[in-house]
Structure formats: structure tokens, C-alpha cells
């Protein structure tokens, strides 16, 4: 079955971005001029996934406004002759059919994904974590849905992590198949470096079998009372094939302030901002 739906959990507190996340949802913080949630919806749409549920919490209603048409703004821009800008704004609302699902309590990523169960139904679906931005020639999730369709097993994106990062990530026990494809023997959440079965860390792109919902429902909450997605996928891996994809491209974790700065700089340089390039060079030279 083709992957047609996606769930994007965005209901976390975003504590690493306090104080700004007191009033602005983290996924609306801009990478240059575009919020991270936009990149997720765009990647989904470019991969043929147009039905998307965004999981939000109380106080995050600004998020819903981002994807809604804004007739007043469009009218004002049109009267100034800014038709191209109007088209660009309309394209944002037209990218996908978005549903908002509420998570009443922040019980963790696994619980947030579980909130998407009614929306997803009994079909495979994609999950995007808006903290993980990827610049690649082809959308990462498109490659992953192709793997799902070929192997009929869930697929998670992984990348080699530095030793310092390993204790902060979900880590897989890998069996390397062909090319970038790996079979997942098991997964552990935030292991100590010495206990980690590899350095391949999970990055926030998943294509999941709907059976993961039963695993999430049956899963026991961890130490912080959170329901872990890693545990549910690990349970799945013990029953049927789960695959990992070592994806190509540039990845930046925008879930921390310095990552958001890096991503903004990367995006600006990618768009050819020579003024910024020169300014950065000057800044670094002055610091030598
Ligand atoms: P994080 O663990 O990064 O939490 O969640 P966070 O709230 O985004 O940020 P910090 O750690 O407090 O700074 C990973 C993803 O899961 C979502 C988050 O919105 C983020 O996209 N999430 C997390 C939920 O939707 N609900 C939760 O209960 C927890």
C-alpha cells in the first residue's frame, strides 16, 4: 500500500528554546524566514503525501494560522502589485490537507504519535520530527516510502553520530544489507556510550507500519512517564522487519538555538547571500 498520510508531532514544550517558546510554538521559529514546520509539510508534499495531521497542544493555535489562507494580507499585497508574493503565500495553504490533533498532556513523542491513530487508520504512515531539517537532492521521506513499499516493513532514518551525541539519541543495532539499507535488530533509547550497539542514531523521519499503534498502546511509560516511540519500534522489530536508511544530504538539528542559527546561515548561503558570506568571513578573520 502507498504511503499517503503523515503525522507531525509538534506538541512539546520546547524548553530548550525558552523564553521564546512561552508564546511562540517552537516549530514556528524561522530558519531564515521560513518556519521549520513548513519544511516538513513541503517534504511530505514533494513525496506525494498530502494528508497531514499536526499534533499540537493548548496555546499553539498560531500554528494553525500559518497554513490557513490570509485573505486580508493577500488583498493588501495584491493592491500593492505584489502578485508574485500572493502566489507564494497561496502555495503554502495549497501544499497539503492539514488536520490538527490535540495532545492534552505532554506524555512524550510516542503518545503524540498515538494521537494520530484515528487520522491514520490501518495504513502505513510517515512521521516527521520538525527538529530535524534535511537538505537533500531528493526528499528523504520519498526514498523511505520507496523502501517501505519494496520491503513491507517500517523504515527509520539514521546517521552516524559523534560519541558525545550517542547518549542523547535512539541507537540501532544494525545488520548492514545493500548500500544505505540496514536491518534493525533492536533499538535502544539514549544508551551509555559503552552500551551502545552502534553509533547509528535515529533522526526524525519514519515510515511506520500501523501496527506500531498497538505497540504504543501496550508500551509501559519510561522513567519520566513518557511513552517512547523507540520502545514501540523496537517491539515491532522483534516481530517483523524494521529497516534503517542511512540518508544522504545535510542534516541540522534545529531543536537547539545554535542549530537554528546554523540552519539559517546554511539556508542563506544556499540561496546565494554573498553579503552574509563576506560578513561571516570578516567576523572569523577578526577573531583569529
Ligand atoms: P522533544 O523531546 O525535542 O521535546 O520532542 P520538545 O518539547 O520539542 O523540546 P525540548 O526538549 O523541551 O526543548 C521531540 C518531538 O516530539 C514532540 C515535540 O514537539 C517534538 O517535535 N512532542 C514531544 C510532542 O508532540 N508531545 C510530547 O509530549 C513530547
Amino acid at each position: 500500500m502507498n504511503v499517503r498520510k503523515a503525522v507531525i508531532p509538534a506538541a512539546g514544550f520546547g524548553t530548550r528554546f525558552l523564553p521564546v517558546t512561552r508564546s511562540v510554538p517552537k516549530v514556528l521559529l524561522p530558519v531564515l524566514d521560513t518556519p521549520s514546520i513548513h519544511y516538513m509539510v513541503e517534504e511530505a508534499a514533494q513525496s506525494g503525501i498530502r494528508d497531514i495531521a499536526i499534533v499540537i497542544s493548548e496555546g499553539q493555535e498560531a500554528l494553525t494560522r500559518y497554513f490557513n489562507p490570509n485573505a486580508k494580507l493577500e488583498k493588501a499585497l495584491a493592491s500593492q502589485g505584489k502578485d508574485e508574493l500572493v502566489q507564494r503565500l497561496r502555495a503554502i495553504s495549497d501544499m497539503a490537507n492539514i488536520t490538527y490533533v490535540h495532545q492534552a498532556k505532554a506524555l512524550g513523542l510516542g503518545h503524540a504519535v498515538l494521537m494520530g491513530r484515528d487520522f491514520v487508520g490501518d495504513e502505513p504512515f510517515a512521521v516527521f520530527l520538525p527538529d530535524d531539517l534535511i537538505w537533500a537532492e531528493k526528499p528523504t521521506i520519498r526514498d523511505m516510502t520507496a523502501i517501505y513499499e519494496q520491503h513491507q516493513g517500517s523504515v527509520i532514518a539514521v546517521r552516524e553520530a559523534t560519541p558525545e551525541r550517542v547518549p542523547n539519541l535512539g541507537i540501532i543495532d544494525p545488520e548492514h544489507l545493500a548500500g544505505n539499507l540496514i536491518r534493525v535488530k533492536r533499538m535502544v533509547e539514549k544508551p551509555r556510550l559503552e552500551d551502545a550497539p552502534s553509533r547509528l542514531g535515529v533522526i526524525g523521519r519514519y515510515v511506520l507500519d500501523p501496527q506500531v499503534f498497538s505497540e504504543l498502546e501496550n508500551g509501559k511509560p519510561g522513567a519520566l512517564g513518557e511513552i517512547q516511540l523507540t520502545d514501540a519500534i523496537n517491539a515491532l522489530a522483534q516481530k517483523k522487519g524494521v529497516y534503517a536508511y542511512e540518508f544522504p544530504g545535510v542534516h541540522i538539528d534545529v531543536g537547539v538555538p545554535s542549530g537554528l542559527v546554523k540552519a539559517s546561515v546554511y539556508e542563506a548561503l544556499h540561496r546565494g547571500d554573498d553579503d552574509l558570506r563576506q560578513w561571516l568571513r570578516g567576523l572569523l578573520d577578526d577573531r583569529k
Side-chain angles (χ1 to χ4, degrees), residues 56-176:
I56 60 171
S57 54
E58 203 189 332
Q60 291 188 325
E61 288 68 28
L63 182 47
T64 64
R65 286 199 293 280
Y66 181 77
F67 289 104
N68 280 348
N70 183 335
K72 206 168 144 189
L73 176 62
E74 285 179 17
K75 204 170 152 205
L77 292 171
S79 71
Q80 294 164 13
K82 295 180 176 159
D83 294 331
E84 203 188 312
L85 190 51
V86 172
Q87 293 311 322
R88 266 173 55 202
L89 296 186
R90 284 210 184 130
I92 295 175
S93 308
D94 291 344
M95 271 196 297
N97 310 314
I98 299 181
T99 303
Y100 298 93
V101 176
H102 286 262
Q103 186 189 26
K105 273 191 182 165
L107 291 178
L109 171 60
H111 182 257
V113 171
L114 192 53
M115 296 295 99
R117 186 178 205 168
D118 286 346
F119 166 82
V120 169
D122 193 23
E123 52 180 287
F125 65 105
V127 173
F128 291 81
L129 299 193
D131 279 354
D132 287 308
L133 236 63
I134 301 172
W135 287 261
E137 251 173 57
K138 279 191 286 165
T140 306
I141 217 80
R142 195 198 293 167
D143 288 344
M144 294 171 64
T145 57
I147 297 170
Y148 181 93
E149 280 153 25
Q150 193 186 348
H151 295 272
Q152 294 298 310
S154 300
V155 189
I156 56 184
V158 294
R159 176 152 283 193
E160 181 98 17
T162 59
E164 305 78 59
R165 290 278 296 146
V166 166
N168 300 313
L169 296 172
I171 299 288
I172 65 162
D173 185 358
E175 177 191 332
H176 289 270

